[in-house]
Amino acid sequence: MTRQEVPIVLAPTQDPASRLLAALFQRVGVMDLLEVERANGSMEAVVDRMLASIPGANVLDERVGPFYDTAGLRAWFKMSRQTLDAQARAGDVLCVMSGDNQRLYPSFQFDANGSLLPRLREVLAALDPGREALWGDAVWLNAPVDELDGLTPAQALRRRRGDEVVRLAQQAGAFRLG
């Protein structure tokens, strides 16, 4: 039997760790955990991936947000690595490199349905035409801007304020290059 029913019921509590574990236990009971472990290499790798998607679990989350790795995005979008790499090179998807040379994709650029941030390519081309400061681009997209009524450029793009964001990206890019 590869699937295990996990009949764990935890008493309601105000403790955030207990609430997290209770929600997790409810969901893993219907999963084939041996397959999950095999597909990810180890349970530690599963936990690392889970934590990477939780806001606040990583130091950079405060500035950029949680990240998806290449395998996670490929599975979600059902695309090849080459297609994902091409989208990153074109600026349709923002990809940053970790200190250990892993490709990371900030989650802010995707909505819950997987739709990409509108006009991201245009904004990145204006902000950083040489694609030289991708971490800085990610931070810029997530920094509140007075000219956008306190919204971040990423939030403003989702609210269809792309013209304003592109103009601000052009100004920031000119300042960076100037």
Side-chain angles (χ1 to χ4, degrees), residues 70 81 95-104 135:
T70 301
R81 181 182 186 127
C95 177
V96 296
M97 298 300 282
S98 69
D100 60 352
N101 221 23
Q102 297 295 312
R103 289 181 173 97
L104 300 174
W135 278 103

Side-chain angles (χ1 to χ4, degrees), residues 47-144:
V47 171
D48 288 344
R49 287 184 179 190
M50 289 170 55
L51 291 176
S53 67
I54 298 174
N58 183 304
V59 173
L60 288 173
D61 287 349
E62 293 178 31
R63 297 297 298 237
V64 178
F67 304 92
Y68 294 105
D69 64 4
T70 301
L73 274 188
R74 286 186 56 224
W76 189 14
F77 290 123
K78 297 180 181 21
M79 68 172 60
S80 71
R81 181 182 186 127
Q82 293 79 6
T83 300
L84 186 54
D85 287 347
Q87 287 187 343
R89 278 191 307 278
D92 293 328
V93 176
L94 179 60
C95 177
V96 296
M97 298 300 282
S98 69
D100 60 352
N101 221 23
Q102 297 295 312
R103 289 181 173 97
L104 300 174
Y105 304 86
S107 66
F108 72 82
Q109 64 189 314
F110 309 99
D111 68 14
N113 298 319
S115 296
L116 292 167
L117 196 59
R119 298 183 70 180
L120 181 61
R121 178 191 286 201
E122 192 176 350
V123 170
L124 290 175
L127 183 62
D128 185 9
R131 318 250 323 134
E132 297 169 5
L134 297 174
W135 278 103
D137 300 342
V139 170
W140 184 86
L141 282 160
N142 284 286

